[in-house]
Amino acid sequence: MRAPGVGRIIAAQLTARFPNGMSSLAILLHVEHITGSYGAAGLVLASASVGQAVAGPITSRWMGRWGMRRVLTLTLAVCVLSFLGLAFLALPLPGYMALGLIAGLSTPPVQSAVRTIYPKLVNSSQLTPLFSLDASLQEIIWIVAPVVITIVSTQVGSQQGLLLVAAVLVAGGAWFILSPEVGRVRIPRSRRGFGAVVLKPPVLLATVIGFLLIGACSAVEVGVVKTFDEGGLQAGLVLAVFSLGSLIGGLASGRVPIGPWAMARRLAIVAVGLSLTMFSLNVFWLGGTLIAAGIGIAPALAVLFAITSASVKFSETAEAYGWVGTGQLIGAAAGSAVAGFLIDRSGSPAGAYLAATLFAAVGLIVSVVFVRAFPDLRHRDASPIPDTEAVPLP
């Protein structure tokens, strides 16, 4: 944090990404309020999620072609207009779905941008701790944002909830875009074809394991909401504790060297903690087991960010993080769907915790089976590979 610009860019990117923790609930509550149907709201939300998943690698790659500020400004403007349309326009369901899709497609690629900037802000020995700090602090978004948007949308109005999302998008996005660090860092244009970077083993592993890890987290959220559907405060507190565990784990592991087995050890913590949730649905038991499981989440995400950065050229980092983000978005949708299916089949929230445990266990198995594909960063830094090219000599 003492390195010049680090504190500013962390604060700016957290503010710019804060709407990510509000937009889903804001859309869900508004469309349900307008149509009276959770099914219709779910379709609009699914459209937005599909848009985000598709756009992630594409808009991230555009930053190497047209520059970060241009791409971020364009996507921000379209995204804000989409939310204003959702708030003010009276449309049939397909119209709301189209606006949801546009909002997802135009989500500013702030996460890819900031993780591309980090290697230019700190020296090589500080990069892995910075990734860990970033993974930890992003938990603030998932602790605070859902509470804020739920209060505004239910107590003030669902339209005002969407307007709040648009306002934070503008404020946070402008702060990030105007940050000097964003203007100073230029991403070289990638010389490889679109999608080639995801075929690199560490990037592919980061994408697959991110899918499984976020799938587990999403299944937990469904299980907690189902467990305490008659007591929303308890559900919120248990999920906050889950995120708090992740925050603590990320801060504690910031300077732990990342070797090939680092991911397996951190996912083992998550898998064991989640497996214990199935023994009791008592609020204190769930809180204790989830804080234990959460201790491994931010450290595991830090490994994902570090191995991605260390395995690609600087010109490919933004697109690589776009693919990793897409894997996580698909994992969130898959985790929710599988958890919901198991709850319906069993009639008990335990089905969701089983789903979460299975997602985490598969992630652990993948990290063990393919351990040789993980780069050893214990004696090297996580900086991207420099872009080089032939220099003609006279």
Side-chain angles (χ1 to χ4, degrees):
M1 291 292 286
R2 287 195 297 268
V6 169
R8 177 173 55 233
I9 203 70
I10 286 180
Q13 65 97 6
L14 284 177
T15 307
R17 291 167 55 201
F18 198 78
N20 293 353
M22 301 192 294
S23 58
S24 296
L25 273 173
I27 292 172
L28 184 73
L29 292 168
H30 182 69
V31 177
E32 190 279 330
H33 175 72
I34 295 296
T35 63
S37 168
Y38 276 104
L43 288 173
V44 177
L45 192 54
S47 299
S49 298
V50 168
Q52 279 187 285
V54 170
I58 298 173
T59 54
S60 296
R61 185 180 174 91
W62 283 354
M63 290 191 292
R65 177 174 297 181
W66 295 309
M68 279 192 282
R69 277 182 167 161
R70 288 182 180 178
V71 174
L72 289 166
T73 302
L74 174 63
T75 52
L76 176 64
V78 175
C79 194
V80 169
L81 290 174
S82 301
F83 275 97
L84 293 177
L86 285 168
F88 290 115
L89 298 180
L91 300 170
L93 178 59
Y96 285 122
M97 290 176 65
L99 281 176
L101 179 64
I102 294 170
L105 287 169
S106 59
T107 300
V110 174
Q111 181 168 273
S112 299
V114 74
R115 286 170 187 156
T116 301
I117 292 170
Y118 282 158
K120 301 297 184 180
L121 296 184
V122 297
N123 61 45
S124 57
S125 65
Q126 294 174 318
L127 186 55
T128 297
L130 180 54
F131 280 134
S132 186
L133 178 65
D134 179 88
S136 304
L137 293 180
Q138 73 178 8
E139 294 296 339
I140 296 171
I141 297 172
W142 307 109
I143 293 172
V144 179
V147 177
V148 171
I149 198 63
T150 301
I151 292 173
V152 172
S153 294
T154 58
Q155 303 302 315
V156 181
S158 60
Q159 185 183 62
Q160 285 77 6
L162 288 172
L163 293 178
L164 176 62
V165 173
V168 179
L169 270 170
V170 171
W175 185 10
F176 182 73
I177 291 167
L178 295 174
S179 297
E181 295 75 22
V182 175
R184 283 198 293 264
V185 176
R186 181 184 175 278
I187 305 173
R189 182 180 295 196
S190 176
R191 295 178 177 83
R192 305 182 72 192
F194 176 71
V197 69
V198 81
L199 299 179
K200 291 192 173 186
V203 179
L204 185 58
L205 273 174
T207 303
V208 171
I209 292 176
F211 164 86
L212 294 166
L213 178 60
I214 302 303
C217 296
S218 185
V220 166
E221 291 175 2
V222 174
V224 170
V225 170
K226 174 63 177 175
T227 303
F228 304 106
D229 56 359
E230 297 301 328
L233 178 61
Q234 287 180 313
L237 290 175
V238 170
L239 289 174
V241 163
F242 189 33
S243 294
L244 181 62
S246 177
L247 178 62
I248 293 169
L251 294 176
S253 66
R255 292 203 171 270
V256 176
I258 294 176
W261 288 97
M263 180 62 77
R265 287 194 294 267
R266 297 172 191 211
L267 286 180
I269 296 171
V270 179
V272 170
L274 292 180
S275 67
L276 294 174
T277 60
M278 293 186 289
F279 288 95
S280 173
L281 298 180
N282 175 273
V283 62
F284 296 106
W285 176 262
L286 282 176
T289 54
L290 287 179
I291 197 171
I295 287 173
I297 291 174
L301 289 172
V303 174
L304 293 185
F305 305 150
I307 65 172
T308 300
S309 174
S311 305
V312 300
K313 291 183 177 180
F314 180 66
S315 60
E316 300 171 326
T317 51
E319 184 187 346
Y321 284 124
W323 284 107
V324 173
T326 291
Q328 294 175 7
L329 283 167
I330 298 172
S336 297
V338 172
F341 174 76
L342 291 178
I343 288 174
D344 289 342
R345 286 290 301 270
S346 65
S348 167
Y353 301 118
L354 173 62
T357 303
L358 291 176
F359 270 92
V362 173
L364 174 58
I365 292 168
V366 169
S367 63
V368 171
V369 172
F370 296 100
V371 66
R372 292 179 181 272
F374 285 91
D376 189 347
L377 303 181
R378 288 173 294 184
H379 306 295
R380 55 167 289 203
D381 61 78
S383 300
I385 302 166
D387 285 272
T388 58
E389 60 181 341
V391 178
L393 298 176

